[in-house]
Amino acid sequence: MPVAMKDDRSRQPSTQSELAMRTQDTEATEQEPTVASLACHRKSPRPCFNQTLVDELAVIRQWRFLQFGTHDETNSIGYATAVSVIIGTPFLIETAEQAKKLPKIGEKIVVKIAEFLEKGYIQESRDILKTEKFRVLSLLSSVHGIGWKAANDLYNEGARTLDDLRELLPHRPSTLSYFKYLDDLSEKIPREEVDSIVKWIQHQLDKIQPGARLEACGGYRRGKSHSNDVDIIITWPHQDGLERGVLDKLVERLLRKRLVPNDGVLYHTMAGSERTIKDNRPADRLDALDKALVIFRLPAEANKRSKDKFRRVDLIVTRWPDFGCAVVGWTGSTQFERDLRRHAHRLNMKFDSGGIRERDTDRPIEALTEQDVFRVLQLPYIDPKLRNADP
Ligand code: TTP
Ligand code: MG
């Protein structure tokens, strides 16, 4: 998924009572509590204790993703990991010394934190926000099918405005259709619209294979007020096998009903039904589940607006026995997922949204519910709203 600017950034706790409320799980001792180095061992609320600092650092984090991509351990992932540690720090950072003691926080970021503590902002972040390159790369990499590298290439070829882009865009069908609906797709999706889209999909599924359970995951499940897309996990409770092939029928029906425009299927795979992918996947690769990434047309009458709205919707179908893993895997946030895989690795297991396996034997370990996933991975359950480990 492209790195996009998030709009529901928030603030430091503004009142004493708010601060006290957020401290309820933290030992009120003189010494700061130790902060765990993996996000799946911490609570990551939004807003967090150091939200204003995180908002400043988030700009540098995104700038690095835009320049170096999402795989670069040193330049991008390392920085994202440091920012996520600050998100999971359950006290207000007031001195650079406190920051130095946190895990995964290097010298350079301590300097930035010290600057923030002194001035209330970070000059580098302010400078980045003013550059045209930041604005253009952010826009470009939000378009489906344009990764950080292609975005940089397009920028170097001179793409600056939407008109430039229209000419220079790769003529891949999914990229062209995304671009066609760009105005709508760039809007953040409010929660009530997510609820409405889930109802539409449920209704269509009832006509194909009744009894489906749908769970809206992603940022919505983590409590975000607005999302970039809608991630829906679909299963049939207690009926392993009933899900096979249903996604094909659903996509065909949505196209027929014009709930997805003709050019609105960006990607579609039945790898889950066909059981073709056997290995577990890292957090930045697509898993082995059936999935359709579509542009959904939310009819005007449903959203009480004068015109239809086009929204990005990910439809993911899972077998019932893997439902817990699918929900955990698609709830995110990305850093939480990355660290969950690291944690599983330490236990000699592998985790992804398609299931948990033993690392040596590849034997699947059953985890039906989300609670089962945490139990199998020997972790205390963390509420989805406390998994906001990315800005
Ligand atoms: P996204 O929809 O990309 O992210 P999001 O829902 O957290 O935020 P928004 O849509 O508002 O931008 O992905 C949903 C979650 O699924 C994400 O938090 C992490 C997880 N995920 C993976 O772990 N691997 C993947 O390949 C994808 C696509 C998602
Ligand atoms: Mg999402």
Side-chain angles (χ1 to χ4, degrees):
M1 199 52 163
V3 189
M5 287 296 292
K6 314 279 177 189
D7 72 340
D8 60 354
R9 299 193 173 164
S10 207
R11 60 211 156 76
Q12 310 274 123
S14 57
T15 61
Q16 279 305 318
S17 63
E18 193 184 343
L19 191 64
M21 201 174 69
R22 290 196 215 158
T23 322
Q24 62 195 2
D25 295 324
T26 313
E27 291 269 310
T29 55
E30 284 296 305
Q31 264 201 319
E32 297 92 31
T34 328
V35 178
S37 61
L38 295 183
C40 55
H41 297 155
R42 306 187 292 256
K43 293 177 179 174
S44 305
R46 183 199 302 266
C48 66
F49 276 85
N50 297 282
Q51 192 62 47
T52 320
L53 168 62
V54 168
D55 290 348
E56 293 282 319
L57 293 171
V59 178
I60 308 177
R61 172 189 176 277
Q62 171 157 3
W63 182 227
R64 288 178 172 228
F65 275 128
L66 291 172
Q67 287 179 297
F68 305 108
T70 51
H71 296 276
D72 190 320
E73 282 291 333
T74 332
N75 292 305
S76 323
I77 309 250
Y79 210 84
T81 303
V83 175
S84 95
V85 166
I86 297 170
I87 293 173
T89 297
F91 55 86
L92 195 61
I93 300 170
E94 288 171 311
T95 66
E97 286 308 310
Q98 285 175 312
K100 265 187 210 158
K101 286 189 214 148
L102 297 172
K104 309 281 178 189
I105 304 285
E107 294 260 326
K108 282 188 197 152
I109 205 162
V110 171
V111 173
K112 299 291 168 202
I113 295 171
E115 182 190 347
F116 172 82
L117 292 173
E118 191 194 326
K119 301 197 293 202
Y121 65 90
I122 297 173
Q123 191 59 47
E124 186 184 352
S125 307
R126 301 294 157 103
D127 292 343
I128 292 169
L129 283 176
K130 278 188 227 143
T131 65
E132 183 181 49
K133 189 166 182 183
F134 181 77
R135 182 184 58 76
V136 175
L137 290 183
S138 298
L139 167 72
L140 282 172
S141 58
S142 75
V143 177
H144 183 88
I146 301 188
W148 70 279
K149 192 131 201 356
N152 279 274
D153 289 346
L154 286 166
Y155 183 85
N156 292 335
E157 283 171 48
R160 297 290 182 274
T161 64
L162 287 180
D163 284 339
D164 298 338
L165 286 181
R166 211 165 273 125
E167 296 208 347
L168 291 166
L169 271 184
H171 283 230
R172 215 178 293 121
S174 61
T175 303
L176 291 176
S177 31
Y178 194 97
F179 202 72
K180 179 167 150 194
Y181 301 102
L182 190 63
D183 277 354
D184 276 7
L185 299 182
S186 308
E187 278 178 20
K188 304 275 177 182
I189 312 172
R191 296 184 70 81
E192 53 282 11
E193 251 186 55
V194 176
D195 297 334
S196 167
I197 291 169
V198 171
K199 278 196 196 127
W200 277 91
I201 302 288
Q202 176 93 58
H203 182 74
Q204 296 307 317
L205 273 170
D206 283 346
K207 308 277 179 193
I208 302 168
Q209 184 66 269
R213 172 161 169 199
L214 280 69
E215 192 77 45
C217 293
Y220 170 88
R221 191 153 182 270
R222 301 196 310 275
K224 271 171 75 175
S225 63
H226 289 77
S227 306
N228 289 306
D229 67 3
V230 184
D231 308 292
I232 307 175
I233 302 287
I234 302 164
T235 194
W236 279 263
H238 310 290
Q239 305 198 63
D240 186 12
L242 211 59
E243 81 293 340
R244 275 182 117 148
V246 173
L247 186 66
D248 267 349
K249 291 183 195 154
L250 176 64
V251 169
E252 191 264 325
R253 188 178 170 93
L254 292 173
L255 284 165
R256 190 156 32 86
K257 296 272 168 194
R258 300 203 171 281
L259 286 166
V260 170
N262 282 338
D263 51 2
V265 182
L266 304 176
Y267 178 75
H268 184 187
T269 174
M270 296 300 279
S273 285
E274 291 154 8
R275 315 277 198 258
T276 46
I277 299 179
K278 302 277 183 249
D279 58 339
N280 285 47
R281 297 306 182 91
D284 52 14
R285 297 258 315 273
L286 282 179
D287 54 38
L289 303 175
D290 287 354
K291 66 179 70 60
L293 315 185
V294 303
I295 296 170
F296 184 84
R297 180 183 67 87
L298 184 59
E301 67 269 23
N303 64 7
K304 300 188 192 75
R305 295 190 209 216
S306 54
K307 67 193 246 318
D308 297 341
K309 282 285 174 188
F310 292 89
R311 301 301 191 209
R312 272 282 295 107
V313 175
D314 291 347
L315 300 165
I316 303 115
V317 173
T318 176
R319 305 165 57 218
W320 171 244
D322 297 328
F323 180 61
C325 288
V327 168
V328 173
W330 279 84
T331 295
S333 68
T334 304
Q335 184 69 35
F336 190 89
E337 299 297 324
R338 218 180 266 130
D339 286 353
L340 204 55
R341 283 158 175 74
R342 287 197 184 115
H343 168 83
H345 190 89
R346 290 178 188 175
L347 297 178
N348 214 24
M349 291 187 228
K350 293 188 284 187
F351 169 83
D352 81 1
S353 27
I356 304 175
R357 289 170 206 250
E358 281 180 358
R359 200 140 62 88
D360 301 333
T361 62
D362 249 351
R363 189 181 68 85
I365 304 170
E366 193 163 281
L368 268 183
T369 65
E370 205 178 40
Q371 274 77 4
D372 291 335
V373 174
F374 281 82
R375 186 181 42 75
V376 168
L377 294 175
Q378 301 169 29
L379 288 168
Y381 181 75
I382 298 182
D383 188 273
K385 293 189 176 62
L386 298 172
R387 297 183 210 161
N388 286 297
D390 293 84

